[in-house]
Amino acid sequence: MSVSEADVLAAMSKVMDPELHVDLVKAGMVKDIRVAGDSVKLKIELTTPACPLKGKIQADAEAALKAVPGLKTFDIEWGAQVRAAGGGVPGGALLPKVKNVILVGAGKGGVGKSTVALNLATALAQHGAKVGLLDADFYGPSVPLMTGLSDKKPVSPDGKSLDPLLAHGLKVMSIGFLVEADQALIWRGPMLHGALMQLVRDVNWGELDYLVLDLPPGTGDVALSLSQSIRAAGAVLVTTPQDVALADVVRAKQMFDKVHIPVLGIVENMSQFVCPNCSHVTPIFNHGGGRKAAEMFGIPFLGEIPLDLKVRESGDSGVPVVVGAKDSPEAKAFLEVARNVAGRVSTQSMKSVPLPVVQAR
């Protein structure tokens, strides 16, 4: 009994992407079907190399093919093609080659937002994506130190644009590269907005799957104007577990709601301290508040990052923990957060209504 391409497509149409809630054929993920008698080869193209549920999809696809009458052997090639969120439209006129802009924000300072942004970006790159990191925290640009690039300066190949610096598989840009480390930025809102738009528009980002933006803390001018000027796939909110931090998450969530940018979910940083000597767990800042806030808002809880000395040491040494301590619980937690964020961005890419964008003047 011979097998046809239609048989294979029928089998794959029964396999659902559990996060996108659509079958693989309808999602356009089944490619290059080659039938030879009772054998078949095909490619399944995931919507992100950091797919959080690849194992589930693989098991279901294999089970579906095994059930095809007359099919004795099959070979599945796996690939990934990141799609642009917002109806398939890349990042707008300012970032035409960037598929997805991910904003990382917090309602207050001191919650480790920059640490989360850096490790999220690096983890996405480790999964195989093309990633950039823009340090948009003008009042406290920490990315140069945390990437080990504090003594570097970007160059301009044409006198009009800047090439981003490279570190840990990322393209990196920060206002910290362009001002002296001890120089205070005493700028009003319009000046900050103009400088930030230059860092977005006049940097040679090239083609990126994800551009992670480390926003200033709070809901001030920079975060608001940036949110309205760039087509973003969504925002990741960072908090610590205690009630005073969670109260600020509410304000940050409300800001993104007002500018119609979806919140991808909440990350709870400094979740629990695990003693390196006795493994005793101490919830220094309480525990579970981030998950509780996510449930209250009806948005995903993206993961919790343990409080550990390695995270601080990694930031100070310029080597993210996902690079310098790959097997640590902290690195594994960041990798899980990255997979969850990538999955959420993929769900945004399936929505047909483009996200609103206001063009910068």
Side-chain angles (χ1 to χ4, degrees):
M1 181 178 180
S2 60
V3 178
S4 68
E5 181 177 332
D7 295 329
V8 177
L9 286 172
M12 290 296 96
S13 67
K14 298 176 183 178
V15 180
M16 300 291 292
D17 184 305
E19 192 153 37
L20 304 181
H21 304 294
V22 64
D23 70 75
L24 301 191
V25 175
K26 186 176 181 180
M29 296 164 65
V30 181
K31 311 280 187 180
D32 304 332
I33 299 175
R34 289 155 287 171
V35 178
D38 57 5
S39 299
V40 66
K41 293 183 178 180
L42 71 154
K43 181 178 182 179
I44 296 179
E45 189 176 80
L46 302 172
T47 56
T48 172
C51 180
L53 296 171
K54 178 185 175 183
K56 169 67 173 171
I57 297 172
Q58 181 173 351
D60 290 348
E62 291 175 352
L65 289 172
K66 289 176 182 177
V68 175
L71 181 60
K72 293 184 178 180
T73 62
F74 58 84
D75 181 22
I76 302 177
E77 177 188 353
W78 294 89
Q81 180 65 40
V82 177
R83 306 177 187 185
V89 180
L94 291 177
L95 295 165
K97 295 182 180 180
V98 176
K99 292 181 180 178
N100 297 289
V101 178
I102 300 172
L103 309 179
V104 179
K108 65 186 296 270
V111 299
K113 172 184 54 60
S114 295
T115 296
V116 172
L118 171 61
N119 281 279
L120 167 62
T122 309
L124 288 170
Q126 288 184 338
H127 280 298
K130 299 175 183 176
V131 187
L133 174 63
L134 174 57
D135 181 2
D137 189 351
F138 278 27
Y139 296 117
S142 55
V143 166
L145 174 64
M146 297 171 67
T147 54
L149 296 172
S150 54
D151 60 341
K152 306 294 184 182
K153 298 291 183 183
V155 299
S156 175
D158 56 6
K160 299 179 181 178
S161 59
L162 292 172
D163 284 343
L165 298 178
L166 304 176
H168 313 299
L170 305 175
K171 294 181 178 179
V172 183
M173 181 54 64
S174 169
I175 190 66
F177 296 138
L178 307 176
V179 299
E180 297 301 323
D182 57 352
Q183 178 180 341
L185 289 181
I186 308 174
W187 291 354
R188 294 187 181 273
M191 295 175 66
L192 289 171
H193 176 76
L196 183 56
M197 288 304 100
Q198 280 190 289
L199 287 184
V200 173
R201 181 184 58 242
D202 298 336
V203 172
N204 300 318
W205 292 110
E207 294 185 0
L208 293 178
D209 295 319
Y210 307 101
L211 177 61
V212 177
L213 268 68
D214 179 19
L215 293 177
T219 55
D221 287 346
V222 175
L224 188 60
S225 62
L226 181 64
S227 301
Q228 293 178 313
S229 301
I230 294 175
R231 187 187 301 279
V236 174
L237 298 183
V238 182
T239 185
T240 46
Q242 69 269 40
D243 291 341
V244 66
L246 295 174
D248 292 295
V249 172
V250 175
R251 286 187 283 273
K253 172 70 165 56
Q254 289 173 341
M255 180 195 74
F256 287 117
D257 286 345
K258 288 180 180 178
V259 295
H260 306 289
I261 290 179
V263 174
L264 301 173
I266 293 177
V267 176
E268 182 177 290
N269 194 30
M270 308 182 209
S271 183
Q272 296 185 94
F273 172 71
V274 181
C275 177
N277 298 315
C278 67
S279 299
H280 178 70
V281 176
T282 303
I284 294 176
F285 299 113
N286 206 340
H287 179 250
R291 188 182 297 275
K292 187 186 302 181
E295 292 173 352
M296 179 178 68
F297 289 128
I299 58 178
F301 180 64
L302 300 171
E304 54 186 40
I305 311 300
L307 175 64
D308 191 273
L309 188 60
K310 286 191 293 294
V311 178
R312 194 273 300 167
E313 291 175 337
S314 296
D316 288 349
S317 67
V319 181
V321 70
V322 295
V323 174
K326 292 183 178 181
D327 296 326
S328 67
E330 295 74 31
K332 292 176 181 178
F334 277 122
L335 287 167
E336 180 184 1
V337 166
R339 287 190 292 269
N340 290 335
V341 170
R344 288 287 295 149
V345 171
S346 291
T347 61
Q348 290 299 124
S349 73
M350 299 300 294
K351 296 182 179 179
S352 59
V353 181
L355 300 176
V357 60
V358 178
Q359 299 298 336
R361 296 183 181 276

